[in-house]
Structure formats: structure tokens, C-alpha cells
Amino acid sequence: MDLSERIARLRKSWRPGHVLLVIPLALIVVITVVDILAPEDIRLGPLLVIAPAITASFAGPLSTAVIGILAVAGQAYIGLHFGLLTSRSVLVQIAAIAVLSALVVFYCLMRERHGRELARVRSVAEAAQQILLWPLPDRIGPLRVASLYLAAEDEALIGGDLYAATRTGGGTHVMIGDVRGKGLAAVGEAALLLGAFREAAHQHTSLPALAAALERSVGRYQADFEPEGEAGERFVTALLLEIPDHDPIIRMTSCGHPAPLLLSPGHSVSVPSLHPAPPLGVGGTGQTGYTVDVFTFEEGDTLLLYTDGIIEARSREGDFYPFAERAARWTDSSPETLLRHLRRDLLAHAGGYLGDDAAVIAIHRAPAGNSGIHHGEAARPDSSPHGPGGTGPSREC
């Protein structure tokens, strides 16, 4: 192995924490020298224990042990310099530094062990959360899609917000929802609704029938698992969409969920006027209780679906995030670029912290020449591309 390869391997193995080892080494040298030069009635040797204590904050047990040995050696050198190495006082000081250094090394060992256990738990949790909330494909039929999820719960990738999309014959069904509550406590109900949607979207050709099926699933879940003290207090807002491949329209059924933003080229933003039904889990709403609202969705338009964590994000002054106003800046951007701008702008507005989970989906109808069919899930031939309930396309604000 030549010199250049050895240097390359050394650089690869070198970590930023190694540079910080200069600090405890310098402390050992400084304390030892000052103790030797100071008057006889001043003894600074016991302060050498500071060196391994500091090392433990940025280095592992091996480096901490080495610094502890050097600290003990420093105290021994001080005793040897004054001819007091075998005196009771110096031996007690050496023993004290050795014991304290050993305790610090033990702390480092336990910290690394807990760190490895936490890393394993996090990896399992992240895998489970990724399986639960499948990432949306970049293309679904003629649609370009991008999604963003910001969980309010620390160390969580997802919380009570949810979204899913599936291909049905000649079109795409999309759902975005928000479970009451946030963080990991709401993940179970979110998992139920996601699984129910992925199955029911292929069995029910109309949005009202799909909404009624989801209501039944949520009702069964609450009957089996809802805590007694929260009876009637748990529900899910949801927005269901059907987007035909070849018709410039979009059908929506709202179950208490905020209306999306419709972005058109030229910084135009409109809010469709929906007729929402009660949230899922409130109970009592049959299939006839859901309304299908139909709007135009032309080539070049982008639909922004979101949960209330977006519009309820507050600045330090208490101002809500002006979602529609900010989104109007990027109506001509691709879905990926649009959400990248929104994420940066939202976190800057909220000071880097969101009080609630937040999810956004950008759906862009690409021009006909660029609309390759990408199946997020297998298409079902028994699904109709035209669900009932709409009287014709309209664009409302």
C-alpha cells in the first residue's frame, strides 16, 4: 500500500469528533503544568477529571478511556515531580480520578448500547410507517403527482393525516383525510381507513357508495376499539376524488374536509364550492347523504389537496399561514417544485415547528402528449370512469 492510499484510508476513518479530542488533551497538559508551577499550597491535579468528563460528551468509550488514563498519568506525574507519588494524599487523588474516569467510560458504554437499541427501534418504526403510508407514484394516468407529509410528533414520519390514490378503470380515485388528534395515537385509525379505501375503491363505482363504505369501516373500528371516555369524540374528515383520464373534469365528495385549491396557469387560484357531509365516524349518514360536486379540471391545472395542519400553522405573531396567497406564486411550477417551495415557506412561517400534522398533495393534469399511464395499483375493468351524482362540469369559487 502506497502513501497516498494510506492517507486516503486515514481520512476516511477520521471523524469530526477526533478533532475535539484536542480539548481534553490540552486541558490535561495545562492543568498539569499549572499545578507544577503554582505555589505549594495550591493543588489543581484533581481537576484533571474534567478531561474524561468532557470527552464523554462527543466521543465513545474507547477515546474516553484513553483520556482517563492520560488524566491519571498526569496526576501521577505531578506527584512524582514533587516526590510525593507514594504519599496518601496523591494516591487518593490518583484513585479518585481513576474511579471517576471508569464511571464516565461505563456511562459511555451504556449510552452507546441505548443508542443502538434506539436506532433499531427507529428503523422498525420507519419501515412500518412507510408501509402504512405508501408513497404516491410520480405519475398516475394523465396526472403528475407529488405529496408532502410533515408530522408534528417528534421522531415520527406520519401521524393522523393520511392520503392514498388508486387506479380504477379509466380514472383515478384519490383520498386525503385527517384523523382527530395527532401523532402516533392516531396511526391505528389512519391505517384502518387507508386499507378500507384501497379495497373499497375497486368495489364501489360512485363516490357516495365509497364514502358510505368508509363510514361503515370507521364505525366498526370505533365500536371495537374506541376508548369508553372518548365515545363519539373520534372522527375522520376526508375528501374523496374521482379524476377521469379523458374528461376534463373532477368529481369530489367531502366528508367534513376543507375544499382544495385549484391552481391555473397565470397565478390564478380558486376554491371549489363543496357541499360537505359530516366527517366519517359521526354516524347516521347513508349513501344518499353524500353529494358529488363536479368541476372542470383542464390540462395545465393543478389541484392542491391539504389537511388543516397547513392552514392552521401559526407564525410567532399568531398569524395563520396564508396558504392560497402563497400557492398563487407557484401556479406555473411542477408539482414537485410547488411542494418544495410550500414546504420551505410553511416551515419558515411557523418557525420550523408545526402544532399539527400537515399533508399536501399536488395533482397536475399534464397535456395529452405527456400522459403516459402509470398504474399506482392495478386497474379493475368493473370500475366505471364516470361515477354518478354530477350534473355537469363547473368551476366555482
Side-chain angles (χ1 to χ4, degrees):
M1 182 183 299
D2 58 21
L3 180 60
S4 60
E5 291 179 352
R6 291 181 179 178
I7 294 176
R9 291 186 62 181
L10 181 62
R11 288 179 177 176
K12 186 176 181 180
S13 62
W14 189 262
R15 294 180 298 178
H18 293 157
V19 178
L20 297 177
L21 289 175
V22 174
I23 298 176
L25 290 173
L27 279 174
I28 293 174
V29 173
V30 170
I31 293 174
T32 301
V33 172
V34 172
D35 191 287
I36 292 174
L37 299 179
E40 294 184 0
D41 59 336
I42 297 178
R43 290 292 176 260
L44 301 178
L47 295 179
L48 288 168
V49 74
I50 296 175
I54 291 177
T55 306
S57 65
F58 59 82
L62 180 59
S63 298
T64 304
V66 172
I67 295 298
I69 292 172
L70 293 177
V72 172
Q75 180 61 58
Y77 179 79
I78 293 173
L80 181 63
H81 175 80
F82 290 105
L84 302 173
L85 180 60
T86 58
S87 67
R88 182 181 301 178
S89 175
V90 173
L91 290 176
V92 169
Q93 292 175 7
I94 292 175
I97 295 175
V99 171
L100 291 174
S101 298
L103 291 175
V104 173
V105 171
F106 178 75
Y107 161 78
C108 288
L109 289 170
M110 297 304 297
R111 183 187 62 189
E112 284 203 346
R113 177 183 175 184
H114 289 309
R116 288 192 297 267
E117 292 177 353
L118 181 59
R120 287 195 295 268
V121 171
R122 285 179 178 174
S123 65
V124 173
E126 289 176 3
Q129 293 179 83
Q130 291 284 5
I131 292 172
L132 172 61
L133 193 66
W134 299 347
L136 299 179
D138 297 334
R139 275 193 176 275
I140 309 178
L143 309 174
R144 294 182 60 186
V145 181
S147 58
L148 170 66
Y149 200 110
L150 298 172
E153 191 80 8
D154 291 339
E155 309 300 339
L157 297 180
I158 65 171
D161 291 3
L162 55 102
Y163 52 74
T166 183
R167 289 285 296 163
T168 54
T172 301
H173 278 78
V174 182
M175 176 184 69
I176 187 169
D178 186 357
V179 178
R180 181 183 181 272
K182 64 179 182 179
L184 298 179
V187 170
E189 200 160 347
L192 165 88
L193 193 59
L194 286 169
F197 169 79
R198 289 166 182 147
E199 181 64 25
H202 296 288
Q203 299 178 353
H204 302 280
T205 59
S206 70
L207 293 181
L210 176 58
L214 296 179
E215 169 66 33
R216 291 192 295 271
S217 296
V218 173
R220 287 193 296 267
Y221 176 85
Q222 291 178 345
D224 293 335
F225 300 105
E226 186 177 48
E228 295 183 2
E230 297 183 9
E233 297 182 4
R234 300 184 67 87
F235 56 84
V236 185
T237 67
L239 182 64
L240 306 176
L241 299 91
E242 180 189 2
I243 310 175
D245 288 344
H246 304 294
D247 295 335
I249 63 172
I250 186 168
R251 299 183 178 93
M252 306 184 204
T253 291
S254 173
C255 302
H257 199 81
L261 300 183
L262 183 60
L263 281 56
S264 301
H267 305 288
S268 173
V269 177
S270 59
V271 181
S273 179
L274 303 181
H275 300 82
L280 302 175
V282 173
T285 301
Q287 182 173 336
T288 57
Y290 297 100
T291 302
V292 177
D293 295 296
V294 186
F295 306 91
T296 58
F297 187 47
E298 301 173 347
E299 294 180 359
D301 287 349
T302 299
L303 197 68
L304 272 182
L305 316 177
Y306 61 93
T307 59
D308 57 11
I310 299 290
I311 56 177
E312 294 179 359
R314 292 176 179 266
S315 65
R316 294 179 179 177
E317 293 76 22
D319 300 324
F320 289 111
Y321 180 64
F323 185 42
E325 176 186 333
R326 300 297 175 84
R329 301 177 180 178
W330 305 298
T331 57
D332 298 321
S333 300
S334 67
E336 297 82 3
T337 303
L338 171 61
L339 294 194
R340 188 164 56 248
H341 287 312
L342 282 175
R343 181 183 188 278
R344 182 171 57 248
D345 190 61
L346 174 65
L347 291 177
H349 175 86
Y353 172 78
L354 297 180
D356 194 5
D357 302 322
V360 188
I361 305 175
I363 304 175
H364 177 78
R365 186 183 286 276
N370 299 327
S371 58
I373 299 295
H374 183 109
H375 293 274
E377 293 183 18
R380 292 285 296 270
D382 57 336
S383 298
S384 170
H386 304 290
T391 58
S394 64
R395 187 186 298 272
E396 303 181 19
C397 299

